Amino acid sequence: MNTDNGVINMDFKRRVVLKAGGALGVLATAGAWPLQALAKFARPEDAFKAEALDATFAALGGKPEGSDQIDLETPDIAENGAVVPVSVTSKLPGTEQIWLLVEKNPNPLAGGFMIPDNTEAFVQTRVKVAQTCDIYAVVKADGKLYMTANETKVTLGGCGG
Amino acid sequence: MAGRMRIRAQKKGDNTEVKVLMQHPMETGLRKDDAGETIPAHFITHVTATVGDRTVMESQWGAAVSQNPFLSFRFQGAEKGDKLKIAWKDNQGETAETTTSIR
């Protein structure tokens, strides 16, 4: 475990492990990585496991409302579905989170990004797109979900198959 | 192998623009190798970016983020010379972190 936040966490972890004994050791290790951050942005495991778009929306907190205040930049045609550049900028006030979904992937949810205060409501990454379908940007702003979508045509799928 | 990271963090006006390239296979667990054996899922699940005690970006990923992931974001309130730390953790429990100076 070389990515600890520092000595304090290491000490904390060791003490927890000592107290709790071996059975809870795994939990303690999980908790020590980065402790405060995990508490703020818990992983929505159900959303990542969902196999359809609507189920993913449901696991994220309900079907988002369409919005023209989200700029989603995706290629119209992707020659290689394994590497599709995606960029999202939200103009919605109070943007807290940005999520990327690929409609027809085995698991539509690709990832989520927490936007703290003083970080721009912008994120750019690259995702796999298994076949021609819509890419969704879902934005959580002031506790509500909004979305926009673009179609990307894929000439070579993203699953290496 | 997994673990290496390239970070560029550049002050542009009030903003610090960050671009990160992480080295990671990002296996979905759905592919098969030449022998027909399923290649186990192996992907980054959690990424954090911090300046001192302050978290400036935090991400939860699935296996659909591309191999050797790229991430770019912008934040305010840092100065040239401040240290930016990017750390990730994957579904097999591997971790990596890299610290760079904002320039």
Side-chain angles (χ1 to χ4, degrees):
Chain A
M1 182 106 187
N2 59 358
T3 59
D4 235 294
N5 284 344
V7 177
I8 297 165
N9 267 0
M10 285 303 286
D11 277 345
F12 174 78
K13 187 177 81 184
R14 200 176 305 131
R15 238 170 274 144
V16 170
V17 174
L18 281 176
K19 249 189 227 166
L24 285 176
V26 175
L27 275 178
T29 308
W33 197 87
L35 205 58
Q36 69 281 59
L38 272 175
K40 264 191 281 177
F41 190 37
R43 183 177 181 82
E45 210 52 71
D46 290 351
F48 276 105
K49 283 182 182 146
E51 292 176 356
L53 197 61
D54 283 342
T56 313
F57 286 148
L60 286 176
K63 178 131 189 175
E65 185 182 309
S67 170
D68 59 4
Q69 296 298 301
I70 306 167
D71 284 341
L72 169 63
E73 283 180 46
T74 52
D76 293 336
I77 297 175
E79 279 179 25
N80 182 0
V83 187
V84 178
V86 179
S87 161
V88 183
T89 306
S90 168
K91 288 180 261 177
L92 292 159
T95 294
E96 302 155 26
Q97 296 170 6
I98 296 173
W99 297 89
L100 289 173
L101 284 70
V102 183
E103 183 193 1
K104 290 188 180 166
N105 275 2
N107 302 108
L109 185 59
F113 305 84
M114 186 198 72
I115 311 294
D117 290 347
N118 296 318
T119 292
E120 282 196 21
F122 156 83
V123 69
Q124 191 179 13
T125 186
R126 300 196 280 237
V127 298
K128 298 169 198 165
V129 180
Q131 55 180 298
T132 297
C133 67
D134 285 337
I135 296 179
Y136 285 78
V138 172
V139 169
K140 187 176 186 183
D142 275 338
K144 278 187 70 182
L145 294 174
Y146 302 88
M147 68 177 177
T148 193
N150 290 342
E151 191 190 53
T152 292
K153 288 192 167 62
V154 176
T155 45
L156 182 69
C159 289
Chain B
M1 270 312 290
R4 278 194 283 171
M5 234 186 292
R6 283 170 59 195
I7 310 173
R8 199 178 71 182
Q10 204 164 16
K11 192 93 194 282
K12 289 184 174 174
D14 289 341
N15 273 326
T16 300
E17 183 185 73
V18 181
K19 291 183 176 179
V20 194
L21 206 50
M22 303 163 212
Q23 203 165 41
H24 201 284
M26 299 301 286
E27 280 294 346
T28 58
L30 302 170
R31 296 202 313 150
K32 290 186 170 34
D33 63 16
D34 293 341
E37 301 285 329
T38 300
I39 304 170
H42 188 199
F43 56 92
I44 294 175
T45 54
H46 193 185
V47 183
T48 56
T50 48
V51 177
D53 292 338
R54 181 183 153 210
T55 300
V56 294
M57 167 59 71
E58 190 177 350
S59 270
Q60 294 282 357
W61 289 353
V65 172
S66 299
Q67 184 179 44
N68 297 330
F70 170 80
L71 173 65
S72 178
F73 58 94
R74 297 190 283 257
F75 66 96
Q76 286 146 22
E79 299 302 330
K80 283 183 185 181
D82 286 355
K83 302 275 189 248
L84 172 76
K85 182 170 93 175
I86 310 271
W88 60 248
K89 174 183 162 183
D90 72 22
N91 69 319
Q92 297 188 359
E94 286 178 39
T95 61
E97 69 170 54
T98 300
T99 300
T100 194
S101 291
I102 295 167
R103 50 183 187 89

